C-alpha cells in the first residue's frame, strides 16, 4: 500500500546511454513532481505535472523528458546520460502537501 | 536561489527539546513555510507547515515570528529516531500549482 513508489531503486549505467525511471502514486493526486538531489544533498525541483500536463520545467536540459500517461504515473526518461546526471531522483505527488517516493539513485560511469 | 538559510548541523540530547531555526527574510506575504525531514537517504517526510500563526501537530510545533522573516521548528522530546536532515522550505505559487524551494537543511543528531 505504498503511497508513492519508484522503480528502479538503483540504476548504474554508462555515459551516453538512455534510461527511464518510473513513478506511481495511489493517493489520487492530480499533481506530481520530479526532484533531483545532488551529492551535496541539495534538493531541487525539476518538473511538475498537473493532470498529465506539464506545469513547471525548471530549466532542465532537454535530455530529460518527463511523460505522464495518466494522473497516477509520471516517468522520467533521460537521453545521452552524462556523469553530472549522477544523483538521487525523487518523485512526489500532492498539491498543498507533497508526498515523496523512496528515490532512485542513478550512477553514471 | 534558496529562500531559506539554516545552520548546517545541531546536536540535541535525547528527551530534550530540539529547536531548529530558519531564516526566510525574503518571504512574500502569501508564501508558506514548510518543514520536511529526510532520514538517511529516504524520501523527505512532511512535518508541519504554516503561514503566520504558530502551528502544532503530533510531530512538532512551528513558531513563526510576527514579521515572518524567521521560524523555529520544535521537536518537544527528541528521540534517537529523530536524527535526520531537517529542511525548511518556502512554498511559492507557480502557474496554478506550488513549488517548494528547499533550503540546505540542518543535520540534527540526537545523542543518547
Amino acid at each position: 500500500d505504498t503511497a508513492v513508489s519508484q522503480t528502479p531503486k538503483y540504476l548504474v549505467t554508462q555515459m551516453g546511454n538512455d534510461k527511464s525511471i518510473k513513478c506511481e502514486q495511489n493517493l489520487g493526486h492530480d499533481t506530481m513532481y520530479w526532484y533531483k538531489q545532488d551529492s551535496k544533498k541539495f534538493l531541487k525541483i525539476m518538473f511538475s505535472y498537473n493532470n498529465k500536463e506539464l506545469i513547471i520545467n525548471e530549466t532542465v536540459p532537454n535530455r530529460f523528458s518527463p511523460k505522464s500517461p495518466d494522473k497516477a504515473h509520471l516517468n522520467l526518461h533521460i537521453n545521452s546520460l552524462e556523469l553530472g546526471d549522477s544523483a538521487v531522483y525523487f518523485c512526489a505527488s500532492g498539491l498543498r502537501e507533497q508526498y515523496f517516493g523512496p528515490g532512485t539513485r542513478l550512477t553514471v560511469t | 536561489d534558496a529562500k531559506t538559510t539554516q545552520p548546517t548541523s545541531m546536536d540535541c540530547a535525547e528527551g530534550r527539546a530540539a529547536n531548529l531555526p530558519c531564516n526566510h527574510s525574503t518571504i512574500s506575504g502569501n508564501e508558506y513555510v514548510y518543514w520536511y525531514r529526510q532520514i538517511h537517504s529516504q524520501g523527505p517526510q512532511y512535518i508541519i507547515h504554516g503561514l503566520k500563526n504558530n502551528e502544532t501537530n503530533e510531530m512538532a510545533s512551528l513558531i513563526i515570528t510576527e514579521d515572518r522573516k524567521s521560524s523555529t521548528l520544535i521537536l518537544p522530546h527528541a528521540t534517537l529516531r529523530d536524527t535526520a536532515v531537517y529542511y525548511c522550505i518556502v512554498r511559492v505559487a507557480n502557474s496554478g500549482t506550488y513549488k517548494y524551494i528547499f533550503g540546505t537543511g540542518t543535520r540534527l543528531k540526537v545523542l543518547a
Side-chain angles (χ1 to χ4, degrees):
Chain A
D1 59 344
T2 305
V4 182
S5 59
Q6 295 177 228
T7 53
K9 190 166 175 59
Y10 300 97
L11 187 51
V12 180
T13 188
Q14 292 184 326
M15 283 175 56
N17 285 347
D18 303 339
K19 290 293 177 186
S20 292
I21 306 172
K22 295 187 176 181
C23 177
E24 177 181 1
Q25 55 97 2
N26 62 7
L27 298 168
H29 293 149
D30 289 341
T31 309
M32 297 184 71
Y33 312 82
W34 277 107
Y35 286 83
K36 179 180 180 180
Q37 186 169 41
D38 61 25
S39 57
K40 296 183 179 177
K41 304 295 186 185
F42 186 63
L43 263 159
K44 193 169 194 300
I45 188 168
M46 300 172 68
F47 301 103
S48 170
Y49 265 71
N50 186 273
N51 252 324
K52 303 192 298 176
E53 188 179 329
L54 179 65
I55 302 296
I56 295 174
N57 182 339
E58 286 288 299
T59 58
V60 178
N62 56 16
R63 297 183 295 104
F64 290 78
S65 53
K67 285 186 173 51
S68 182
D70 55 59
K71 274 185 0 177
H73 296 84
L74 180 62
N75 303 323
L76 183 65
H77 188 76
I78 315 170
N79 289 328
S80 304
L81 277 154
E82 301 177 356
L83 292 176
D85 297 332
S86 295
V88 181
Y89 293 84
F90 287 100
C91 176
S93 73
L95 187 57
R96 288 177 173 75
E97 188 180 315
Q98 294 183 21
Y99 295 82
F100 284 77
T104 296
R105 183 175 294 277
L106 171 65
T107 303
V108 182
T109 61
Chain B
D1 59 344
K3 296 192 75 168
T4 62
T5 55
Q6 302 175 249
T8 304
S9 63
M10 293 180 64
D11 290 343
C12 176
E14 189 178 18
R16 304 297 294 267
N19 297 291
L20 291 91
C22 178
N23 286 326
H24 31 79
S25 57
T26 61
I27 196 169
S28 298
N30 61 349
E31 293 174 347
Y32 279 70
V33 178
Y34 277 69
W35 284 83
Y36 275 69
R37 72 181 183 184
Q38 188 174 26
I39 297 173
H40 297 301
S41 294
Q42 298 174 20
Q45 175 192 22
Y46 169 79
I47 300 173
I48 199 167
H49 72 279
L51 182 62
K52 52 185 179 181
N53 297 324
N54 297 338
E55 303 288 343
T56 295
N57 63 20
E58 64 279 2
M59 286 183 71
S61 294
L62 175 60
I63 308 297
I64 303 175
T65 58
E66 198 168 332
D67 62 10
R68 300 207 332 118
K69 292 187 176 182
S70 65
S71 61
T72 301
L73 177 75
I74 301 172
L75 307 178
H77 305 287
T79 70
L80 298 178
R81 287 178 297 179
D82 292 323
T83 293
V85 177
Y86 287 76
Y87 291 99
C88 176
I89 297 160
V90 170
R91 190 195 78 176
V92 306
N94 186 304
S95 304
T97 185
Y98 298 109
K99 186 167 79 170
Y100 282 1
I101 310 288
F102 276 78
T104 51
T106 296
R107 185 172 296 276
L108 175 70
K109 187 185 286 187
V110 180
L111 306 171

